[in-house]
Amino acid sequence: VRWRSCGPPGAVHIRGLVANRFRASILGVSGISHRSRDYCRSLLPAEESLPSLSIEVSLFVTPSAADKCTYVDGQRLFQTFPLTYLAAWTCDIESSLGLKATSSSSSVVSYAGSIAQIRCDFDDTPTTEEDDDRSEKEEWFLTLRPSEPVLAESGWLIEKVPICKWQSLPALRPQQEHPLAQRVPGPPPSWGLTVCSEVLYGLTNRYRQGVVLEWLEYHRLIGVNHMVLYDADGCLEGDLLEPYILTGFVTYFPRFPRSALSEAHFAIHTDQHLPSHAAPDAQAAAHCLSFQRGLTEWVAFLHSPDEFLSSGKGLRNVQREIVEPLRPLRDEGLAVVDVPAIYFTHGPELGLRESPYLPGRYIYRSSKPIELPKWGSTRASTLNRFPSPLANPDRVGELVTEHFPRAKPGSLYLDDVPQDFLRANHYGETFRIRPILQRGSVWVRDESILWVEDSFLRLGLPPLAPGPVPTGPAVYDT
């Protein structure tokens, strides 16, 4: 049985700490309990134990607006208050019928200081009899309290977050030869792949809204199951997303810094210079991963509408070409697929290719993935790339600088993914002309995605308005 925080899908619960001197945002709660513990134990070696219930919480804490203080790191990305991950936590669960339990063990981790991931394991879960009519009306609550009594006495306490059981569960998929976290039977995800955006902004004029429309329709055409979109300024509110929301293809979280973090984060993020435009992206990524846990096999992080999932062969069916081939590896513990991001530009020619649609206008790409040679590692590696990764939400809860998923211990990472299998076409001049071709790279003519022009025409997609116009050949980034 899976658990999540109650409320609308993706609901963020807010709590005040220390007499409201701090504001806690519970970005996500996910859990799994095992009704048939004897069967689950039969799949494990005798020396290994299985908790009756495991709950994971994605937590962000900030000083209140009265303190006029917002934490950022050296890249000006929003940070949670350090005590969030420096303090040890204990979890309590209780029901409206008076049943209670306390976690037998807990842990907390933060890979980049953007959030804290708290995990609590319970040896015994309070349950009502299955045939008891009262259980249908039973309400459950989660409390996080610090293990140090002095902190709890000061009010560093997150009380009574409502948690709910999932109702309609699909059939179990047997998993008998996998690592511990995978051998425990559980409901398989309903979707193969979900796309999550970064916190978008400024997508308001006719051209930019047209780019968003093509972005949505393209990924719908190739079989993406769902897209979760965030913005900072409400720029996607209105008619554009309405049909996609009503049909269930899109879930939309407008003004995410204000609703999920705080008014101060919203005010600072809307300033032109401080902090980084990417400041709340790590929190949005954690929220999306928690929200999609148990729903989808993979979350693809496409940071902007100028990034399109594709491949050197021209990706047509993401389920058949990506999800199905990855499934055996996922069952063995694969958590992260390092998807290279490839810049597309107008190339050595002066103008753009004549096309009514964005992917048809840029047919020259860089011969190398996006890398920052002086960032992350002294030699070129996955730590130097700015990929658009796939993450298994059952194993990943946090991204570092929105590009690098960090998975649970024992997970597998798939590095150096060939472009013929999967890549992100990054149309880097969609919103402004800039030098993007890196030294050591050359232009490569690549028309693998041009099949989509006919598909867009058959859909009746309106031609895209004119965008930025290059005034000379593409140049190298210095």
Side-chain angles (χ1 to χ4, degrees):
V1 178
R2 286 190 179 267
W3 297 74
R4 64 173 180 85
S5 55
C6 299
V12 175
H13 294 270
I14 306 296
R15 295 290 185 272
L17 306 180
V18 193
N20 290 321
R21 287 186 57 195
F22 294 87
R23 172 186 166 107
S25 300
I26 297 91
L27 299 174
V29 178
S30 60
I32 186 166
S33 58
H34 310 292
R35 287 180 176 175
S36 179
R37 295 186 68 194
D38 291 339
Y39 172 71
C40 294
R41 283 171 172 161
S42 71
L43 301 177
L44 305 174
E47 65 274 10
E48 293 182 357
S49 61
L50 175 74
S52 175
L53 169 66
S54 295
I55 288 181
E56 296 187 12
V57 180
S58 295
L59 181 62
F60 179 85
V61 177
T62 184
S64 68
D67 283 5
K68 298 180 180 179
C69 183
T70 300
Y71 284 83
V72 297
D73 65 7
Q75 299 183 62
R76 297 175 293 146
L77 306 177
F78 289 141
Q79 298 279 284
T80 187
F81 188 66
L83 192 59
T84 315
Y85 51 82
L86 293 177
W89 295 89
T90 299
C91 295
D92 298 320
I93 56 173
E94 60 180 310
S95 80
S96 56
L97 300 180
L99 302 174
K100 297 181 180 180
T102 296
S103 58
S104 56
S105 63
S106 62
S107 60
V108 59
V109 63
S110 182
Y111 290 100
S114 56
I115 64 161
Q117 298 179 72
I118 300 164
R119 177 186 170 113
C120 292
D121 291 331
F122 297 79
D123 286 341
D124 295 297
T125 308
T127 57
T128 53
E129 295 296 328
E130 292 185 11
D131 59 354
D132 190 344
D133 292 338
R134 297 179 305 166
S135 64
E136 296 182 2
K137 301 178 181 179
E138 193 172 18
E139 297 177 323
W140 292 86
F141 300 94
L142 171 70
T143 293
L144 298 174
R145 55 182 173 85
S147 301
E148 289 290 336
V150 65
L151 289 176
E153 292 169 3
S154 72
W156 188 257
L157 188 71
I158 299 172
E159 294 186 283
K160 291 196 171 183
V161 179
I163 57 175
C164 295
K165 300 176 184 178
W166 287 15
Q167 296 302 313
S168 300
L169 297 178
L172 301 180
R173 186 171 71 203
Q175 303 179 41
Q176 298 182 350
E177 301 297 331
H178 311 140
L180 173 62
Q182 296 296 320
R183 287 202 299 265
V184 175
S190 302
W191 295 329
L193 192 142
T194 293
V195 167
C196 295
S197 79
E198 67 177 12
V199 180
L200 307 171
Y201 57 93
L203 300 172
T204 52
N205 63 30
R206 177 170 165 247
Y207 169 73
R208 294 186 174 200
Q209 295 253 313
V211 171
V212 174
L213 178 63
E214 290 187 19
W215 188 54
L216 296 172
E217 283 298 331
Y218 171 81
H219 289 98
R220 192 171 69 90
L221 279 170
I222 65 172
V224 167
N225 296 102
H226 194 65
M227 297 186 74
V228 182
L229 307 186
Y230 301 84
D231 73 28
D233 54 4
C235 62
L236 295 178
E237 291 178 328
D239 296 339
L240 175 64
L241 293 186
E242 184 176 2
Y244 299 99
I245 294 172
L246 290 175
T247 55
F249 183 65
V250 164
T251 300
Y252 172 44
F253 296 95
R255 298 178 176 85
F256 180 79
R258 169 182 280 165
S259 62
L261 305 184
S262 76
E263 189 69 32
H265 289 85
F266 171 76
I268 292 173
H269 188 237
T270 53
D271 185 279
Q272 188 175 1
H273 301 293
L274 181 71
S276 165
H277 72 278
D281 289 346
Q283 290 79 30
H287 174 266
C288 197
L289 285 165
S290 182
F291 169 31
Q292 291 298 304
R293 189 165 293 158
L295 288 177
T296 189
E297 294 183 55
W298 295 101
V299 170
F301 287 94
L302 297 180
H303 305 98
S304 173
D306 60 1
E307 293 187 16
F308 288 59
L309 280 180
S310 188
S311 73
K313 298 177 180 179
L315 180 64
R316 302 288 190 96
N317 188 316
V318 73
Q319 305 296 328
R320 184 177 64 246
E321 299 174 51
I322 304 301
V323 174
E324 292 178 9
L326 289 177
R327 189 165 290 146
L329 292 173
R330 185 183 187 277
D331 289 343
E332 293 293 341
L334 181 64
V336 177
V337 180
D338 179 48
V339 180
I342 309 295
Y343 269 137
F344 276 67
T345 177
H346 67 278
E349 301 170 354
L350 175 60
L352 303 175
R353 177 180 176 269
E354 289 289 334
S355 175
Y357 304 115
L358 179 72
R361 296 179 181 179
Y362 298 93
I363 58 171
Y364 288 94
R365 64 167 174 84
S366 170
S367 60
K368 297 171 58 177
I370 301 171
E371 291 182 349
L372 300 179
K374 297 181 180 180
W375 193 94
S377 174
T378 55
R379 65 181 182 86
S381 72
T382 183
L383 296 176
N384 297 93
R385 298 179 198 137
F386 267 28
S388 297
L390 297 187
N392 173 353
D394 286 342
R395 287 182 167 270
V396 176
E398 183 180 359
L399 265 66
V400 176
T401 64
E402 71 178 313
H403 291 279
F404 305 101
R406 311 314 302 156
K408 297 177 181 178
S411 298
L412 303 177
Y413 291 71
L414 187 59
D415 191 12
D416 293 320
V417 174
Q419 291 187 38
D420 278 353
F421 179 69
L422 185 62
R423 72 185 184 202
N425 290 4
H426 189 172
Y427 299 97
E429 295 177 322
T430 299
F431 301 119
R432 63 185 177 94
I433 302 299
R434 56 192 174 120
I436 57 177
L437 197 65
Q438 293 180 304
R439 296 290 176 182
S441 186
V442 297
W443 288 293
V444 177
R445 189 179 179 95
D446 189 327
E447 301 181 1
S448 58
I449 202 174
L450 294 189
W451 63 267
V452 80
E453 290 181 315
D454 287 339
S455 297
F456 281 173
L457 285 169
R458 286 194 295 270
L459 286 172
L461 226 60
L464 184 65
V469 178
T471 57
V475 297
Y476 286 94
D477 182 8
T478 57

